[in-house]
Tab-separated table of all heavy atoms in Angstrom:
chain	number	residue	atom	x	y	z
A	204	GLN	N	21.110	27.877	-29.798
A	204	GLN	CA	20.959	28.735	-28.622
A	204	GLN	C	21.291	27.976	-27.344
A	204	GLN	O	20.826	26.852	-27.132
A	204	GLN	CB	19.524	29.263	-28.530
A	204	GLN	CG	19.247	30.070	-27.268
A	204	GLN	CD	17.839	30.582	-27.211
A	204	GLN	OE1	17.484	31.518	-27.938
A	204	GLN	NE2	17.006	29.995	-26.370
A	205	VAL	N	22.080	28.599	-26.508
A	205	VAL	CA	22.351	28.097	-25.158
A	205	VAL	C	21.878	29.162	-24.181
A	205	VAL	O	22.312	30.329	-24.253
A	205	VAL	CB	23.845	27.808	-24.940
A	205	VAL	CG1	24.128	27.455	-23.480
A	205	VAL	CG2	24.304	26.676	-25.853
A	206	GLU	N	20.971	28.777	-23.297
A	206	GLU	CA	20.538	29.704	-22.256
A	206	GLU	C	21.327	29.398	-20.990
A	206	GLU	O	21.466	28.241	-20.598
A	206	GLU	CB	19.040	29.578	-21.989
A	206	GLU	CG	18.523	30.628	-21.017
A	206	GLU	CD	16.999	30.671	-20.933
A	206	GLU	OE1	16.333	29.792	-21.512
A	206	GLU	OE2	16.483	31.599	-20.286
A	207	LEU	N	21.862	30.441	-20.379
A	207	LEU	CA	22.671	30.281	-19.177
A	207	LEU	C	21.967	30.946	-18.002
A	207	LEU	O	21.677	32.147	-18.035
A	207	LEU	CB	24.049	30.906	-19.375
A	207	LEU	CG	25.020	30.744	-18.195
A	207	LEU	CD1	25.514	29.303	-18.118
A	207	LEU	CD2	26.200	31.711	-18.319
A	208	PHE	N	21.688	30.140	-16.981
A	208	PHE	CA	21.078	30.648	-15.758
A	208	PHE	C	22.162	30.779	-14.691
A	208	PHE	O	22.948	29.855	-14.480
A	208	PHE	CB	19.995	29.690	-15.262
A	208	PHE	CG	18.825	29.559	-16.193
A	208	PHE	CD1	18.861	28.642	-17.243
A	208	PHE	CD2	17.687	30.339	-16.032
A	208	PHE	CE1	17.784	28.508	-18.111
A	208	PHE	CE2	16.609	30.204	-16.899
A	208	PHE	CZ	16.656	29.291	-17.935
A	209	GLU	N	22.181	31.911	-14.021
A	209	GLU	CA	23.141	32.147	-12.953
A	209	GLU	C	22.400	32.405	-11.646
A	209	GLU	O	21.528	33.275	-11.583
A	209	GLU	CB	24.024	33.364	-13.263
A	209	GLU	CG	25.008	33.691	-12.132
A	209	GLU	CD	25.743	35.011	-12.333
A	209	GLU	OE1	25.222	35.885	-13.064
A	209	GLU	OE2	26.840	35.166	-11.760
A	210	THR	N	22.742	31.649	-10.611
A	210	THR	CA	22.204	31.884	-9.279
A	210	THR	C	23.322	32.441	-8.408
A	210	THR	O	24.324	31.763	-8.160
A	210	THR	CB	21.651	30.599	-8.652
A	210	THR	OG1	20.656	30.029	-9.505
A	210	THR	CG2	21.032	30.877	-7.290
A	211	ARG	N	23.168	33.679	-7.964
A	211	ARG	CA	24.160	34.328	-7.127
A	211	ARG	C	24.046	33.847	-5.680
A	211	ARG	O	23.031	33.263	-5.282
A	211	ARG	CB	23.988	35.851	-7.193
A	211	ARG	CG	24.286	36.463	-8.542
A	211	ARG	CD	25.755	36.296	-8.913
A	211	ARG	NE	26.623	37.082	-8.034
A	211	ARG	CZ	27.917	36.839	-7.845
A	211	ARG	NH1	28.502	35.823	-8.441
A	211	ARG	NH2	28.635	37.604	-7.049
A	212	PRO	N	25.068	34.088	-4.872
A	212	PRO	CA	25.020	33.654	-3.472
A	212	PRO	C	23.820	34.199	-2.698
A	212	PRO	O	23.358	33.562	-1.740
A	212	PRO	CB	26.350	34.183	-2.903
A	212	PRO	CG	27.272	34.202	-4.081
A	212	PRO	CD	26.399	34.618	-5.232
A	213	ASP	N	23.288	35.367	-3.101
A	213	ASP	CA	22.122	35.916	-2.405
A	213	ASP	C	20.811	35.322	-2.893
A	213	ASP	O	19.728	35.725	-2.445
A	213	ASP	CB	22.091	37.445	-2.538
A	213	ASP	CG	21.913	37.917	-3.990
A	213	ASP	OD1	21.747	37.069	-4.889
A	213	ASP	OD2	21.940	39.150	-4.219
A	214	GLY	N	20.884	34.358	-3.834
A	214	GLY	CA	19.688	33.691	-4.324
A	214	GLY	C	19.077	34.315	-5.560
A	214	GLY	O	18.144	33.752	-6.143
A	215	SER	N	19.565	35.466	-5.975
A	215	SER	CA	19.020	36.104	-7.181
A	215	SER	C	19.426	35.322	-8.424
A	215	SER	O	20.513	34.744	-8.490
A	215	SER	CB	19.508	37.554	-7.282
A	215	SER	OG	20.923	37.605	-7.375
A	216	VAL	N	18.536	35.293	-9.408
A	216	VAL	CA	18.742	34.498	-10.622
A	216	VAL	C	18.620	35.393	-11.848
A	216	VAL	O	17.690	36.195	-11.956
A	216	VAL	CB	17.725	33.345	-10.723
A	216	VAL	CG1	17.945	32.532	-12.003
A	216	VAL	CG2	17.814	32.440	-9.504
A	217	THR	N	19.558	35.244	-12.771
A	217	THR	CA	19.476	35.930	-14.052
A	217	THR	C	19.743	34.911	-15.159
A	217	THR	O	20.345	33.863	-14.921
A	217	THR	CB	20.500	37.077	-14.165
A	217	THR	OG1	21.817	36.542	-13.945
A	217	THR	CG2	20.213	38.159	-13.149
A	218	SER	N	19.277	35.219	-16.360
A	218	SER	CA	19.547	34.330	-17.488
A	218	SER	C	19.984	35.153	-18.691
A	218	SER	O	19.540	36.297	-18.871
A	218	SER	CB	18.323	33.479	-17.845
A	218	SER	OG	17.275	34.282	-18.348
A	219	THR	N	20.871	34.566	-19.490
A	219	THR	CA	21.361	35.213	-20.703
A	219	THR	C	21.373	34.190	-21.825
A	219	THR	O	21.418	32.974	-21.585
A	219	THR	CB	22.787	35.778	-20.497
A	219	THR	OG1	23.633	34.737	-19.981
A	219	THR	CG2	22.782	36.941	-19.527
A	220	PHE	N	21.324	34.693	-23.063
A	220	PHE	CA	21.287	33.819	-24.228
A	220	PHE	C	22.596	33.921	-25.006
A	220	PHE	O	23.155	35.004	-25.162
A	220	PHE	CB	20.108	34.172	-25.130
A	220	PHE	CG	18.768	33.941	-24.496
A	220	PHE	CD1	18.090	34.982	-23.869
A	220	PHE	CD2	18.193	32.676	-24.507
A	220	PHE	CE1	16.862	34.757	-23.273
A	220	PHE	CE2	16.959	32.451	-23.917
A	220	PHE	CZ	16.289	33.492	-23.294
A	221	HIS	N	23.054	32.768	-25.499
A	221	HIS	CA	24.315	32.691	-26.227
A	221	HIS	C	24.129	31.746	-27.408
A	221	HIS	O	23.163	30.983	-27.456
A	221	HIS	CB	25.432	32.195	-25.299
A	221	HIS	CG	25.495	32.950	-23.998
A	221	HIS	ND1	26.278	34.064	-23.820
A	221	HIS	CD2	24.831	32.754	-22.823
A	221	HIS	CE1	26.106	34.525	-22.589
A	221	HIS	NE2	25.234	33.754	-21.969
A	222	ARG	N	25.071	31.778	-28.373
A	222	ARG	CA	24.955	30.905	-29.537
A	222	ARG	C	26.270	30.177	-29.775
A	222	ARG	O	27.362	30.747	-29.606
A	222	ARG	CB	24.597	31.697	-30.794
A	222	ARG	CG	23.261	32.416	-30.703
A	222	ARG	CD	22.716	32.734	-32.077
A	222	ARG	NE	22.162	31.553	-32.719
A	222	ARG	CZ	20.942	31.075	-32.463
A	222	ARG	NH1	20.159	31.645	-31.583
A	222	ARG	NH2	20.510	30.010	-33.102
A	223	THR	N	26.141	28.932	-30.174
A	223	THR	CA	27.340	28.168	-30.517
A	223	THR	C	27.873	28.619	-31.872
A	223	THR	O	27.134	29.110	-32.721
A	223	THR	CB	27.041	26.662	-30.568
A	223	THR	OG1	26.051	26.412	-31.584
A	223	THR	CG2	26.533	26.143	-29.233
A	224	ASN	N	29.171	28.390	-32.068
A	224	ASN	CA	29.774	28.713	-33.360
A	224	ASN	C	29.647	27.522	-34.310
A	224	ASN	O	28.936	26.546	-34.012
A	224	ASN	CB	31.234	29.148	-33.175
A	224	ASN	CG	32.108	28.048	-32.576
A	224	ASN	OD1	31.752	26.866	-32.590
A	224	ASN	ND2	33.255	28.425	-32.051
Side-chain angles (χ1 to χ4, degrees):
Q204 175 180 287
V205 173
E206 186 170 8
L207 183 73
F208 295 86
E209 177 189 23
T210 303
R211 294 295 293 159
D213 64 4
S215 61
V216 179
T217 57
S218 67
T219 52
F220 295 96
H221 310 269
R222 298 201 76 81
T223 61
N224 62 18

